[in-house]
Amino acid sequence: MEGNAAARELVKRAFIIDCALHTISENGSFNVTMEDIAKSAGFSKGGLNHYFSSKDELFEAAFQEYFDRIFVRSQERINSFSDPMDKLLSFDWLFNWEDPDVNVGYPLLFDCHVLAVRHDTYRKIFHEWVERWVDMLRSAVIEGIEKGVFPKIDPDATARCISAIYHGFATRWYLDKEGHSTAWAIEYYRKAITGLIKGMGGDDII
Amino acid sequence: MEGNAAARELVKRAFIIDCALHTISENGSFNVTMEDIAKSAGFSKGGLNHYFSSKDELFEAAFQEYFDRIFVRSQERINSFSDPMDKLLSFDWLFNWEDPDVNVGYPLLFDCHVLAVRHDTYRKIFHEWVERWVDMLRSAVIEGIEKGVFPKIDPDATARCISAIYHGFATRWYLDKEGHSTAWAIEYYRKAITGLIKGMGGDDII
DNA sequence: CAAAAAACCGACCGGCCGGTTTTAAATAAT
DNA sequence: ATTATTTAAAACCGGCCGGTCGGTTTTTTG
């Protein structure tokens, strides 16, 4: 029954990580104590310590899990479209307050930014997440160029632009609801991306 | 000499706030203690307490000061251009590693995001900063429309887009240098904005 | 069923932090 | 010169947190 025991351990670890994600999202990673997470998972501090021997270890695992989760959902969503432009615009689910991943996710993302400023581990987590996202977008851009619906643009740089633009819209949408409605976010994200693709072909500015 | 004393007090407060900004930027607002700031300003904890009776008070004053400072610089810069498109692109100084305000500023901005998630005060500070920025951009967009160099677009929504796009680019540029060079940021920020303005006129998509 | 191992608990320690109080030094007023 | 007042340093307090550790319960194994 060794395999079974190992599997159970993994299940419990996953459960604790999920509890940690919710607790961190609710209170902010800098205000969360090990006891908070232990309580939320139905453990004592000592019990939690059995699965994660340090706060750093648990937190890193939690953030990694979060980015993995968002990536998987993004990938499923983008793959559900066939038109390249639809693929580029497939991230509208991230502007939905009702979505639990959204509510939990944004505070985690902002925490990750702060952590990334000073910790290599989190910088790397962020970097790899961006890279995976850019990969998805780049494929869609290349597809659009090959199908002839997009002009001949630099796929990599364009993918990074789209990703960055979404990031900016999302930050405003989440942190300044007053000035940035969901309708604005969805409509103008679309316009920004279509404008970018169209306008970036020729460099006939001015 | 009462006025003089009051003036001296203000000078010292301003000096402490400046020290606080640097200390917070260096260590992150959640890791900074009152003693850290006191030391950096050449005070003891008690001395610092004479000027700011609580950590919250000092921190709020510091963040307010930082956003004011960035706003003033942005305003000076945008006003140095007369062409509307040049004005929209006048934020390139924020992609300059050599600039001290830039190095100190980004960590503060990310901290402010996290604080804004759970604190009304910081949400308000962020909101007002965004609003002032949008005001500047909106004026430039309106000017462009009136001069006939921009198509007839919604000035407010467009200004919010430009502001958000810059925010997204800046986040990537600062946190993921590896994948987002300064050259990329400047060149594609320009392309994104010009594409947005051109492409947003007619809604002739697909 | 008994022995061994794993899982878990909760008290505790060392250290840190924000804020207060006490003490001392510096400056101004008399 | 002496006293009063402002200013700052230092000591201190209460509270919190991460991690440790001895012990207890539960599960697995022989």
Side-chain angles (χ1 to χ4, degrees):
Chain A
M1 289 286 166
E2 274 181 21
N4 204 330
R8 247 191 347 223
E9 165 126 0
L10 281 179
V11 168
K12 287 205 182 180
R13 274 180 68 102
F15 174 71
I16 292 170
I17 286 175
D18 195 59
C19 291
L21 280 178
H22 283 85
T23 309
I24 294 171
S25 174
E26 179 108 6
N27 300 86
S29 64
F30 296 96
N31 303 313
V32 166
T33 72
M34 288 297 269
E35 192 151 14
D36 290 338
I37 296 173
K39 282 260 172 66
S40 80
F43 283 88
S44 71
K45 255 174 77 167
L48 184 62
N49 186 253
H50 181 76
Y51 293 94
F52 295 93
S53 56
S54 81
K55 194 179 187 180
D56 279 354
E57 186 192 338
L58 171 54
F59 272 45
E60 283 169 21
F63 275 94
Q64 195 76 61
E65 163 64 22
Y66 159 68
F67 283 108
D68 284 349
R69 203 179 287 181
I70 296 295
F71 170 69
V72 167
R73 279 201 62 182
S74 299
Q75 206 172 30
E76 284 171 4
R77 175 88 176 143
I78 201 172
N79 286 338
S80 74
F81 291 96
S82 55
D83 177 69
M85 183 56 82
D86 286 341
K87 289 190 180 196
L88 301 186
L89 301 174
S90 70
F91 298 92
D92 52 353
W93 66 277
L94 290 158
F95 294 123
N96 175 20
W97 290 111
E98 313 297 327
D99 194 297
D101 280 348
V102 167
N103 277 315
V104 174
Y106 281 86
L108 293 169
L109 177 62
F110 296 132
D111 269 347
C112 182
H113 289 166
V114 171
L115 290 163
V117 170
R118 276 166 285 263
H119 285 148
D120 283 345
T121 310
Y122 289 93
R123 197 194 301 268
K124 201 173 169 187
I125 288 174
F126 181 73
H127 169 73
E128 281 166 6
W129 176 64
V130 168
E131 219 55 34
R132 287 194 290 184
W133 198 355
V134 168
D135 286 346
M136 288 192 295
L137 290 165
R138 189 173 37 221
S139 300
V141 171
I142 291 173
E143 207 183 311
I145 297 171
E146 284 173 351
K147 285 189 178 173
V149 291
F150 293 171
K152 284 196 178 59
I153 50 187
D154 180 335
D156 186 75
T158 305
R160 287 178 198 282
C161 285
I162 296 168
S163 177
I165 289 172
Y166 161 68
H167 204 143
F169 271 66
T171 303
R172 294 294 167 89
W173 174 77
Y174 189 85
L175 288 180
D176 185 24
K177 304 160 181 59
E178 201 176 329
H180 305 81
S181 69
T182 303
W184 169 84
I186 292 176
E187 180 184 345
Y188 281 88
Y189 172 69
R190 196 172 56 80
K191 289 191 176 179
I193 300 304
T194 52
L196 178 80
I197 298 285
K198 281 202 302 179
M200 216 154 68
D203 218 350
D204 53 325
I205 297 147
I206 292 176
Chain B
M1 287 288 164
E2 273 181 21
N4 205 329
R8 251 193 339 231
E9 167 125 0
L10 281 179
V11 168
K12 286 203 183 179
R13 274 180 66 103
F15 174 71
I16 292 169
I17 285 175
D18 195 59
C19 292
L21 280 178
H22 283 84
T23 308
I24 294 172
S25 173
E26 179 109 6
N27 300 83
S29 63
F30 297 96
N31 303 313
V32 166
T33 72
M34 289 295 271
E35 191 151 15
D36 290 338
I37 297 173
K39 282 260 172 64
S40 80
F43 284 88
S44 73
K45 253 171 71 169
L48 185 62
N49 189 253
H50 178 75
Y51 293 95
F52 295 93
S53 55
S54 82
K55 194 181 187 179
D56 280 354
E57 186 191 338
L58 171 55
F59 273 45
E60 284 170 21
F63 276 93
Q64 195 76 62
E65 164 64 23
Y66 158 68
F67 282 108
D68 283 350
R69 204 180 285 182
I70 296 295
F71 170 71
V72 167
R73 278 201 62 182
S74 298
Q75 204 172 31
E76 284 171 4
R77 176 87 177 143
I78 201 173
N79 286 339
S80 75
F81 291 95
S82 55
D83 177 68
M85 183 57 82
D86 286 343
K87 289 191 180 195
L88 301 185
L89 301 174
S90 69
F91 298 92
D92 54 351
W93 65 277
L94 291 158
F95 294 123
N96 175 22
W97 290 111
E98 313 297 325
D99 193 299
D101 281 346
V102 167
N103 277 313
V104 174
Y106 281 86
L108 293 170
L109 178 61
F110 296 132
D111 269 347
C112 182
H113 289 166
V114 171
L115 291 164
V117 171
R118 276 165 286 263
H119 284 147
D120 283 345
T121 310
Y122 289 93
R123 196 193 303 267
K124 201 173 169 186
I125 288 174
F126 181 72
H127 169 73
E128 281 167 4
W129 177 64
V130 168
E131 218 56 33
R132 287 195 289 185
W133 197 357
V134 168
D135 284 347
M136 287 193 295
L137 290 166
R138 190 172 36 220
S139 299
V141 172
I142 290 173
E143 206 183 312
I145 297 171
E146 284 174 352
K147 285 189 178 173
V149 290
F150 294 170
K152 284 196 178 58
I153 50 186
D154 181 334
D156 186 75
T158 305
R160 287 180 198 282
C161 286
I162 296 168
S163 177
I165 289 172
Y166 160 69
H167 203 144
F169 271 66
T171 303
R172 293 295 167 88
W173 174 76
Y174 188 85
L175 288 179
D176 184 24
K177 304 161 181 56
E178 201 176 327
H180 305 81
S181 69
T182 302
W184 169 83
I186 291 175
E187 179 183 344
Y188 281 89
Y189 171 69
R190 196 173 57 81
K191 289 192 177 179
I193 300 304
T194 51
L196 178 80
I197 298 285
K198 282 202 302 179
M200 216 154 67
D203 218 350
D204 53 324
I205 297 146
I206 292 178

